[in-house]
């Protein structure tokens, strides 16, 4: 029998059947999750989905009611945060207000056996790493939001943790700085090689920065996959709806063979779904999802698998790099969206125009009704 | 000169407290300061300016002893009050949970009786036939009452610590409440155990409250009159008691005034030092 203490060594963090409730509400519900050594992992989900709780369980600030937490192959259920090989960047950065930049960054080193000179050298190194060279004596109250974040990062990284935990670190920054920091964080992670676990509700952030993303809803992890897989093949309807935009169509099963299922929709007609694009437990009713960018307007290069239908444009919004057209289908309550990104080379119809909409059957994902 | 309506209203609002402050604070202090440079011959004041009173106040051993004792008692009282108040404030702030309001309410209960009564109670507790002595005699620990309990400096310190504790708990509690709890998690995350965390985060960040408490206790204590009078005996007397004696029985108002001004200066200097200290702590926020 495999003993629980000799768990898979490649997984730097392994969560096994974690459960945690607050006032009878299950914040984390039977979560199993493995995080690989050296990867940039994001926990993505709407607020209240339990992602921060899960992160705090890894850090040791919350005790799970059930389940085991393994870090670096060692069960840490009863290890206090100060003895775990993890460090955290807090959402509000938690910069110590009575200490200056150097004292903040070197805070954790005081609990180690390094000499004063070594500590000073390490502080300089850490500040340089996060682009705050020469800020040593700056008072923490004199730092901007972005600088505070860098100090929080340096303070955690200087201890060379096995895992760095980041709790919505970019949410307090303005848009430009956020985008810059996304890039920098990614670069930093690659250069230091430490496993990063990032909690965020911002899907762009999760998709652009991560090697893998775990999407959480209501205390459960719905899907763990690469950003491409999450976007192109969301495993549940909730993930599909949460990540990017998705048009949903309610359809009925009309026939089946070994590889495909044929479904019918009032406006879209009959079309085929590939079985590896269908998720859930078998049911004659299916919810079909098509991304707005996978719907084409008046396209001329039709393939064998292209399906088409006609519709009238009811709304048109210019978004800068894309144009978003809305069409209203009689079988759908909501508007269906079509996004056009190659504006120059695409037809540009106006509101009220009748258009031919096409899509490829292989771009369609579907979920059995529950 | 044109005065806007808003300014007029401001002056009207300020008027009453301003007059109050002038007549009940500035005028008495000015009078007392003036008085301290005069001399008194039985009932007549001699209004020639002299430093004689200050010479006596500063250099006569009896006054020096009293000033030193007052300072020492105040410092001791302040020290012990903070020492006892901090754990209470700490407990309420960190472990009070939903009962914080109840705890704070309980702390204010001593104020329901007058200060005088509370000080007088210590006589009942510490006295020759008091609660403590009776208890010890009943236990059989002592055969005759202990006399060192009452009528000395220690009794004054004890009574004052008890009397002033709530005033220390409240400001310390407020400063502990203001500490962002994520800072504690951060220090924990960076390797601190509870002991290190207390000295590196909690104590420095609660310093504004501690210094506030020090000022609140130290300043009134040094001029306390009733407590030494009640429980101090001859050895526990403080400078305020001497000032009272000089004003009334000794009929030497100018010397009393000089003693008063001197204690005012001492308190002022110490208070200013603490205010500057506090500013150092506060500037980081």
């Amino acid at each position: 029998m495999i003993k629980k203490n000799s768990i898979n060594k490649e997984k730097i963090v392994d969560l096994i059947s974690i459960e945690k409730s607050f006032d009878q509400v299950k914040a984390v519900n039977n979560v199993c999750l493995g995080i690989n050594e050296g990867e940039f992992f994001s926990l993505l989900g709407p607020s209240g989905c339990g992602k921060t709780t899960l992160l705090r369980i890894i850090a040791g600030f919350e005790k799970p009611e059930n389940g085991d937490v393994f870090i670096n192959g060692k069960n840490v259920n009863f290890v206090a945060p100060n003895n775990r090989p993890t460090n955290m960047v807090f959402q509000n950065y938690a910069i110590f207000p009575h200490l200056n930049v150097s004292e903040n960054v070197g805070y954790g080193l005081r609990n180690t056996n390094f000499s004063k000179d070594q500590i000073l050298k390490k502080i300089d190194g850490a500040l340089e790493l996060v682009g705050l060279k020469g800020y040593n004596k700056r008072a923490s109250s004199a730092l901007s939001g972005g600088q505070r974040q860098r100090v929080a990062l340096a303070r955690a990284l200087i201890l060379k943790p096995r895992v760095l935990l980041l709790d919505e670190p970019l949410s307090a920054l303005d848009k430009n700085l956020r985008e810059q920091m996304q890039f920098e964080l990614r670069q930093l992670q690659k250069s230091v090689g430490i496993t990063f676990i990032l909690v965020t509700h911002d899907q762009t952030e999760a998709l652009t920065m991560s090697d893998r993303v775990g999407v959480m809803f209501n205390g459960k992890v719905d899907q763990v996959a690469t950003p491409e897989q999450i976007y192109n093949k969301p495993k549940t309807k909730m993930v599909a709806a949460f990540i990017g935009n998705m048009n949903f169509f309610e359809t009925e099963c009309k026939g089946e063979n070994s590889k495909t299922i044929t479904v019918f929709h009032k406006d879209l007609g009959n079309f085929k779904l590939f079985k590896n694009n269908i998720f859930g437990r078998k049911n004659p009713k299916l919810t079909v999802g098509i991304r707005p960018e996978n719907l084409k307007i008046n396209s001329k290069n039709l393939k064998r698998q292209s399906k088409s239908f006609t519709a009238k444009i009811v709304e048109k919004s210019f978004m800068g790099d894309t144009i978003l057209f809305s069409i209203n289908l009689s079988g759908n309550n909501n508007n269906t969206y079509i996004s056009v990104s190659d504006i120059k080379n695409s037809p540009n119809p106006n509101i009220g125009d009748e258009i031919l909409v096409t899509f490829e059957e292989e771009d369609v994902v579907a979920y059995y009704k529950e | 000169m044109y005065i806007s309506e808003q300014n007029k209203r401001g002056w009207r609002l300020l008027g009453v407290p301003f007059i109050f402050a002038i007549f009940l604070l500035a005028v008495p202090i000015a009078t007392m300061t003036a008085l301290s440079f005069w001399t008194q011959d039985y009932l007549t004041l001699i209004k020639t300016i002299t430093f004689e009173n200050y010479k006596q106040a500063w250099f006569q051993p009896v006054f020096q002893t009293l000033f030193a004792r007052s300072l020492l008692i105040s410092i001791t009282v302040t020290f012990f009050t903070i020492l006892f108040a901090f754990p209470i404030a700490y407990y309420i702030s960190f472990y009070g949970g939903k009962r914080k309001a109840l705890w704070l309410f309980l702390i204010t209960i001593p104020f329901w009786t007058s200060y005088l009564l509370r000080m007088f109670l210590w006589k009942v507790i510490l006295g020759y036939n008091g609660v403590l002595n009776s208890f010890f005699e009943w236990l059989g620990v002592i055969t005759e009452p202990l006399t060192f309990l009452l009528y000395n400096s220690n009794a004054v310190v004890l009574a004052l610590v008890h009397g002033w504790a709530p005033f220390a708990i409240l400001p310390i509690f407020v400063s502990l409440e203001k500490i962002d709890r994520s800072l504690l998690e951060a220090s924990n995350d960076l390797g601190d155990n509870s002991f290190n965390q207390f000295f590196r985060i909690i104590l420095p960040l609660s310093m504004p409250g501690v210094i506030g408490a020090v000022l609140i206790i130290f300043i009134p204590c040094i001029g306390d009159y009733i407590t030494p009078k009640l429980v101090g005996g001859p050895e526990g007397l403080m400078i305020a008691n001497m000032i009272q004696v000089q004003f009334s029985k000794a009929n030497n108002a100018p010397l009393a005034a000089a003693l008063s001004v001197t204690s005012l200066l001492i308190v002022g200097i110490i208070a200013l030092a603490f205010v500057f200290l506090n500013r150092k702590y506060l500037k980081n926020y």
Side-chain angles (χ1 to χ4, degrees):
Chain A
M1 202 180 98
I2 301 167
K3 270 179 72 183
K4 266 201 167 169
N5 282 334
S6 60
I7 209 104
N8 194 347
K9 272 277 180 187
E10 280 155 35
K11 299 234 182 297
I12 184 79
V13 176
D14 216 344
L15 304 174
I16 307 206
S17 310
I18 300 291
E19 290 194 3
K20 174 78 186 175
S21 335
F22 294 110
D23 300 327
Q24 261 89 61
V25 178
K26 273 238 152 76
V28 176
N29 191 358
N30 199 17
V31 166
C32 294
L33 185 64
I35 286 145
N36 301 324
E37 172 102 64
E39 78 175 332
F40 197 126
F41 189 92
S42 290
L43 278 168
L44 174 66
S47 53
C49 72
K51 54 192 193 300
T52 296
T53 308
L54 201 59
L55 193 78
R56 291 171 57 81
I57 286 172
I58 299 172
F61 296 127
E62 306 283 356
K63 289 226 179 314
E65 283 132 24
N66 277 313
D68 292 293
V69 181
F70 290 89
I71 298 176
N72 201 22
K74 197 178 142 234
N75 189 320
V76 293
N77 282 13
F78 300 101
V79 178
N82 50 332
N83 293 324
R84 292 192 185 197
T86 58
N87 282 114
M88 185 138 158
V89 175
F90 289 81
Q91 184 167 15
N92 63 357
Y93 309 139
I95 303 294
F96 303 122
H98 57 305
L99 305 177
N100 67 22
V101 169
S102 271
E103 290 162 336
N104 262 288
V105 172
Y107 192 92
L109 290 176
R110 287 265 304 268
N111 292 318
T112 60
N113 294 324
F114 291 108
S115 72
K116 245 189 173 160
D117 286 346
Q118 281 173 308
I119 289 178
L120 288 178
K121 216 173 259 171
K122 274 171 176 281
I123 290 171
D124 286 339
L127 285 178
E128 199 170 346
L129 187 69
V130 297
L132 284 182
K133 200 178 171 186
Y135 277 68
N136 302 48
K137 294 280 164 271
R138 186 73 66 98
S140 51
S141 55
L143 296 173
S144 70
Q147 290 166 340
R148 293 172 80 80
Q149 199 217 19
R150 287 159 198 268
V151 171
L153 260 174
R155 188 174 73 177
L157 284 172
I158 202 169
L159 296 171
K160 298 222 171 3
R162 298 302 303 264
V163 183
L164 184 75
L165 308 168
L166 303 110
D167 185 7
E168 308 238 10
L170 305 174
S171 60
L173 307 179
D174 60 59
K175 188 170 172 285
N176 286 336
L177 190 56
R178 193 160 64 225
E179 280 166 7
Q180 187 197 334
M181 283 310 291
Q182 282 176 10
F183 177 75
E184 281 187 29
L185 263 183
R186 178 79 193 151
Q187 294 286 310
L188 192 65
Q189 195 266 335
K190 288 292 158 235
S191 69
V192 295
I194 291 171
T195 311
F196 276 33
I197 304 178
L198 173 99
V199 156
T200 179
H201 62 265
D202 183 337
Q203 43 164 309
T204 327
E205 206 169 290
L207 295 181
T208 53
M209 291 161 79
S210 323
D211 295 316
R212 286 196 309 151
V213 179
V215 189
M216 279 187 83
F217 293 103
N218 305 324
K220 290 195 162 177
V221 179
D222 274 26
Q223 185 173 11
V224 179
T226 63
E228 288 86 358
Q229 284 168 330
I230 296 262
Y231 189 83
N232 294 327
K233 285 195 181 180
K235 247 171 127 177
T236 67
K237 199 188 154 193
M238 278 211 278
V239 176
F242 187 72
I243 308 283
N245 292 314
M246 185 68 97
N247 297 307
F248 288 110
F249 306 93
E250 301 303 330
T251 65
E252 263 174 67
C253 179
K254 288 289 170 199
E256 179 177 357
N257 67 27
S258 61
K259 277 193 173 163
T260 61
I261 286 179
T262 307
V263 291
F264 172 76
H265 181 267
K266 203 177 155 205
D267 304 290
L268 277 57
N270 281 317
F271 57 97
K272 273 193 231 123
L273 299 170
F274 291 90
K275 274 188 172 169
N276 55 358
N277 286 349
I278 308 175
F279 305 95
R281 211 171 301 138
K282 236 175 174 185
N283 189 305
K285 287 192 186 301
L286 292 105
T287 305
V288 161
I290 309 175
R291 295 261 180 225
E293 65 271 23
N294 289 334
L295 291 171
K296 301 270 186 296
I297 296 175
N298 298 340
S299 180
K300 285 180 191 83
N301 43 358
L302 295 181
K303 285 190 216 155
R304 201 168 57 82
Q305 284 170 342
S306 295
K307 298 295 297 180
S308 60
F309 59 94
T310 55
K312 206 185 232 174
I313 293 172
V314 294
E315 234 176 87
K316 179 179 171 183
S317 356
F318 178 68
M319 324 269 283
D321 51 351
T322 54
I323 297 180
L324 203 62
F325 295 97
S326 306
I327 53 175
N328 204 329
L329 300 177
S330 54
N332 260 20
N333 288 331
N334 303 327
N335 279 346
T336 300
Y337 295 100
I338 304 168
S339 100
V340 173
S341 52
D342 190 7
I343 297 172
K344 260 189 197 161
N345 305 314
S346 303
N348 195 355
N350 291 314
I351 294 174
D353 286 359
E354 191 88 17
I355 52 165
L356 184 76
V357 184
T358 56
F359 64 93
E360 310 292 330
E361 284 172 329
E362 59 186 22
D363 293 335
V364 179
V365 288
Y367 309 93
Y368 291 113
K369 280 252 173 192
E370 303 216 339
Chain B
M1 193 178 75
Y2 173 77
I3 301 170
S4 76
E5 191 50 41
Q6 207 177 354
N7 277 349
K8 273 187 202 161
R9 196 166 51 175
W11 282 113
R12 276 201 296 275
L13 281 169
L14 264 177
V16 176
F18 191 66
I19 291 166
F20 197 85
I22 291 272
F23 280 96
L24 294 177
L25 205 66
V27 170
I29 288 178
T31 319
M32 196 179 64
T33 314
L35 193 60
S36 68
F37 291 105
W38 298 340
T39 41
Q40 188 172 1
D41 185 15
Y42 190 48
L43 285 180
T44 40
L45 282 172
I46 302 156
K47 295 183 183 176
T48 32
I49 288 178
T50 166
F51 289 94
E52 200 49 45
N53 298 316
Y54 284 100
K55 225 185 235 170
Q56 282 189 46
W58 293 355
F59 300 110
Q60 272 197 14
V62 59
F63 300 132
Q64 284 179 340
T65 312
L66 281 175
F67 273 123
R69 185 188 294 154
S70 299
L71 264 175
L72 189 67
I73 285 180
S74 288
I75 289 167
T76 320
V77 167
T78 309
F79 177 77
F80 280 108
T81 313
I82 304 275
L83 201 67
F84 290 127
F86 200 102
I88 297 172
Y90 184 89
Y91 177 82
I92 299 172
S93 180
F94 286 94
Y95 302 99
K98 286 169 188 157
R99 295 209 191 84
K100 272 180 197 170
L102 177 69
W103 280 114
L104 291 178
F105 173 73
L106 290 175
I107 283 168
T108 62
I109 283 184
F111 295 118
W112 295 8
T113 52
S114 86
Y115 182 77
L116 193 64
L117 273 180
R118 276 181 284 146
M119 291 303 110
F120 207 84
L121 263 174
W122 283 104
K123 269 179 112 133
V124 178
I125 295 169
L126 303 174
Y128 191 78
N129 290 316
V131 176
L132 266 183
N133 274 326
S134 313
F135 178 67
F136 285 139
E137 268 179 275
W138 175 78
L139 272 182
V141 184
I142 52 171
T143 48
E144 56 188 70
L146 302 170
T147 49
F148 65 84
L149 293 175
L150 197 58
Y151 301 128
N152 53 34
S153 307
N154 296 339
V156 177
V157 170
L158 184 63
L160 283 173
V161 167
H162 165 245
W164 287 99
F167 292 101
I169 294 172
L170 295 175
I172 296 172
F173 168 78
V174 170
S175 68
L176 287 172
E177 279 291 283
K178 269 173 63 185
I179 297 176
D180 185 348
R181 297 305 191 252
S182 69
L183 296 178
L184 305 184
E185 285 185 344
S187 95
N188 216 213
D189 188 64
L190 295 168
D192 273 0
N193 53 29
S194 319
F195 182 80
N196 285 344
Q197 182 175 76
F198 179 80
F199 286 102
R200 296 182 70 187
I201 305 291
I202 297 177
L203 192 60
L205 288 180
S206 62
M207 268 332 251
V210 172
I211 290 171
V214 165
L215 284 175
I216 290 175
I217 297 160
F218 183 81
I219 295 172
C221 268
I222 204 165
D224 197 272
Y225 160 75
I226 204 74
T227 315
K229 183 103 179 164
L230 283 177
V231 300
E235 262 147 58
L237 285 182
M238 289 162 68
I239 193 66
N241 304 98
M242 177 54 81
I243 292 170
Q244 189 253 347
V245 166
Q246 290 299 335
F247 261 119
S248 54
K249 282 186 200 144
N251 248 332
N252 195 348
L255 180 58
L259 289 170
S260 302
V261 171
T262 307
S263 30
L264 206 64
L265 284 174
I266 292 173
V267 170
I269 287 164
I270 292 171
L272 274 179
F274 272 107
V275 167
F276 279 116
L277 205 63
N278 213 12
R279 194 171 285 176
K280 183 188 152 249
Y281 278 106
L282 284 174
K283 99 180 164 219
N284 294 316
Y285 298 93

